Amino acid sequence: QVQLVESGGGLVQAGGSLRLSCAASGRTFSSVAMGWFRQAPGKEREVVAAISWSGGRTYYGDSVKGRFTISRDNAKSTVYLQMNSLKPEDTAVYYCAARSFRLATLDLDGYGYWGQGTQVTVSS
């Protein structure tokens, strides 16, 4: 079992930045791959970014490449999502997820543990 708690969401103007955090507890954090996903009203949940157990491999959804950065601190059992150059279309609930494998995937079906989500709103 892995418990995940997101934080860091809020309201920001277009062009601004936010950093999301996801604190994990339970299963050994350093042995699981992590991902960030988001869901806007009326839309399907989509992948934002994913990171392998060691942080050595990262993957990004096309809509955030070059603007968002995923990272992790295994000593703190925390994964981060640095979001820069935010756009109104980035507005969504952002979810942290974990999978019981060391290698990451961009497929949300590959993740078995989910946090409650944190709202990010970008105003124009």
Side-chain angles (χ1 to χ4, degrees), residues 39-57:
Q39 189 166 18
K43 295 187 177 181
E44 293 186 352
R45 193 168 296 189
E46 65 172 356
V47 64
V48 175
I51 188 167
S52 64
W53 66 282
S54 66
R57 291 185 178 269

Side-chain angles (χ1 to χ4, degrees), residues 7-8 18-23 29 34-36 48-51 58 60 68-83 96:
S7 62
L18 279 176
R19 188 176 81 154
L20 305 183
S21 299
C22 174
F29 180 76
M34 301 292 296
W36 284 98
V48 175
I51 188 167
T58 57
Y60 296 92
F68 291 10
T69 302
I70 189 171
S71 62
R72 65 190 294 161
D73 184 338
N74 286 346
K76 296 182 178 179
S77 297
T78 301
V79 62
Y80 304 97
L81 184 68
Q82 178 66 44
M83 305 185 295
C96 172

